[in-house]
Amino acid sequence: MSLELLQTQDPHAYDDVVRQLPITSALQGWGYGEARRELGQVPTRYLIRRAGRTVGALQLIRKRLVPGLNLLYAPRGPVLEDLSLLPDLAAALRTVARPTDTLVRIEPPFARTPELIPEHLGPWRRSEAEQPEHTITVNLTKPEPELLANLHSMARRNVKAANKFGVEVVTGGEELFEEFWTIFTATNERAKLGAFPKTYYQTMLSQGAAYGGDAYLVLARHQGRALAGGFFLAMGAVTNYLYGGSVKDDRPGEDGAERKDVKAPTAFYWGAMLDAKARGYRAFDFWGIPRKLDAEKHSFGVYRMKENFGGEKVWFPGYDLPLSPVSPLIVRGLRWRKTQNNLRKRGSAEDVL
């Protein structure tokens, strides 16, 4: 039975569907689309209907590639009650695409089994995801002692050490933004990661919680200074650690000696997990881990840190639906542009994750 895409202008009704369906993501939420608008990209939201019943939701971000050519992108989407609906979605998408739209890119989830990720889903073809394709998620429904026991022994020791040193974990919203921004920008500069304009994150923080989702900040402070922190966007049962980092405490210690490492990053992650559990989320998405492990890269340390907190690996592979004969050229052009961006910012052609 065919699917129908019904465009909606009602953010509350749209986010209600995004929040309730089992295959979903906060990146399909209304607030995330409003943040993308800050980048000059245009979100359009649809309810996916079958035989008069809503079976999904879809936020398509229209990204202008060159004059007269666009990419339609569903970040970590679409939202569905079942992945078996994906092949039938293609025909519905063709009915709403404009003549200037060259292809549609989606990122549905597959857990634990990358070898079994299909190359084709009906007319969809495996491609390169725009969001980090690999992640680690932790099941927060377990009791706190079990969550702690699942941590690597080093992480458990660091949690105890951070408590002993008096590291404080705090959560909030706009009142914490400048502290988060200081940490985030310092981390990006150190690791040559790059970032969007400040207004992008501020809009996501305000709009992400406006219609049915949640957006908040978590900081780990020691003696009044924030040393680690992150930005979280949540929807339904899952909270996502999208952005963050850590800084070294360069304040002089006692008698001018270098300060001890108070394990603030570990305290941040553990505190963020407990906070998410208290908020009622059932899963904690650590976001990106590298496709290829290289001990010389910044991303390897990020991977080791996230892996220390237990959890399982989940894949969000990219799939493309060609809408134009020029779509193969567009795909190659996107890859070339990403490579050049990596070279310019980081001096390496390889992706961060």
Side-chain angles (χ1 to χ4, degrees):
M1 190 176 295
S2 62
L3 298 177
E4 176 189 10
L5 293 179
L6 178 64
Q7 186 174 347
T8 178
Q9 304 292 339
D10 186 336
H12 295 283
Y14 174 81
D15 269 5
D16 280 347
V17 175
V18 176
R19 186 175 60 251
Q20 293 171 16
L21 287 179
I23 300 171
T24 190
S25 170
L27 272 64
Q28 282 289 290
W30 196 281
Y32 183 81
E34 292 308 297
R36 283 281 187 158
R37 204 185 292 276
E38 293 291 324
L39 306 179
Q41 301 168 8
V42 181
T44 306
R45 292 87 171 192
Y46 300 93
L47 300 180
I48 304 173
R49 307 272 290 174
R50 168 173 277 179
R53 189 170 66 88
T54 299
V55 295
L58 176 66
Q59 177 164 247
L60 283 178
I61 308 295
R62 181 169 277 107
K63 302 171 65 174
R64 184 172 181 264
L65 303 174
V66 296
L69 295 177
N70 302 314
L71 166 71
L72 295 178
Y73 171 49
R76 286 285 178 95
V79 175
L80 296 169
E81 66 176 17
D82 193 284
L83 282 177
S84 65
L85 294 169
L86 273 176
D88 292 337
L89 182 61
L93 280 164
R94 293 184 187 277
T95 67
V96 300
R98 299 175 183 175
T100 53
D101 298 329
T102 59
L103 74 154
V104 185
R105 178 162 291 173
I106 62 173
E107 296 167 338
F110 288 84
R112 297 186 301 279
T113 52
E115 298 83 4
L116 300 180
I117 294 175
E119 287 298 312
H120 306 281
L121 290 170
W124 299 93
R125 298 294 181 265
R126 183 78 160 87
S127 68
E128 186 175 347
E130 296 206 12
Q131 300 298 325
E133 185 171 305
H134 306 146
T135 187
I136 293 176
T137 63
V138 172
N139 179 359
L140 296 178
T141 64
K142 299 175 181 178
E144 182 179 330
E146 187 175 345
L147 289 174
L148 184 62
N150 285 342
L151 268 58
H152 187 278
S153 58
M154 178 63 74
R156 290 198 300 272
R157 287 196 295 271
N158 288 346
V159 167
K160 294 178 181 178
N163 287 334
K164 180 180 178 181
F165 285 125
V167 176
E168 176 191 20
V169 176
V170 297
T171 67
E174 294 179 0
E175 75 279 5
L176 303 181
F177 184 82
E178 291 303 325
E179 289 178 279
F180 157 77
W181 187 250
T182 297
I183 293 170
F184 182 55
T185 53
T187 301
N188 287 341
E189 290 170 3
R190 183 175 68 243
K192 299 180 181 179
L193 299 178
F196 294 123
K198 190 175 185 179
T199 54
Y200 170 80
Y201 305 94
Q202 291 172 317
T203 300
M204 194 183 305
L205 186 59
S206 64
Q207 294 296 300
Y211 307 110
D214 196 7
Y216 60 95
L217 303 170
V218 179
L219 300 177
R221 293 182 181 141
H222 184 243
Q223 297 181 350
R225 182 177 178 183
L227 300 177
F231 187 119
F232 291 81
L233 191 66
M235 181 70 74
V238 183
T239 189
N240 306 274
Y241 167 50
L242 296 187
Y243 314 105
S246 63
V247 294
K248 184 178 180 180
D249 193 346
D250 55 5
R251 296 174 295 182
E254 296 181 5
D255 301 324
E258 185 176 351
R259 283 179 174 257
K260 293 181 179 179
D261 179 4
V262 297
K263 312 302 180 185
T266 302
F268 156 70
Y269 279 120
W270 177 242
M273 286 172 58
L274 295 184
D275 174 72
K277 181 176 176 65
R279 290 170 183 259
Y281 297 117
R282 298 195 295 273
F284 186 103
D285 189 335
F286 277 88
W287 214 242
I289 59 174
R291 296 182 182 91
K292 298 178 181 179
L293 296 182
D294 185 339
E296 301 299 319
K297 292 184 178 180
H298 166 81
S299 59
F300 183 77
V302 173
Y303 166 74
R304 291 294 298 271
M305 172 65 82
K306 294 177 180 180
E307 190 182 43
N308 284 342
F309 287 84
E312 66 174 4
K313 294 181 176 65
V314 179
W315 278 256
F316 288 83
Y319 285 90
D320 285 351
L321 174 69
L323 299 176
S324 164
V326 303
S327 60
L329 295 176
I330 294 297
V331 171
R332 289 197 292 271
L334 290 171
R335 177 64 263 178
W336 179 87
R337 187 168 69 179
K338 193 172 184 180
T339 297
Q340 296 305 307
N341 190 47
N342 289 339
L343 288 170
R344 185 178 70 255
K345 290 182 178 179
R346 301 168 37 248
S348 170
E350 296 185 15
D351 294 339
V352 175
L353 296 175

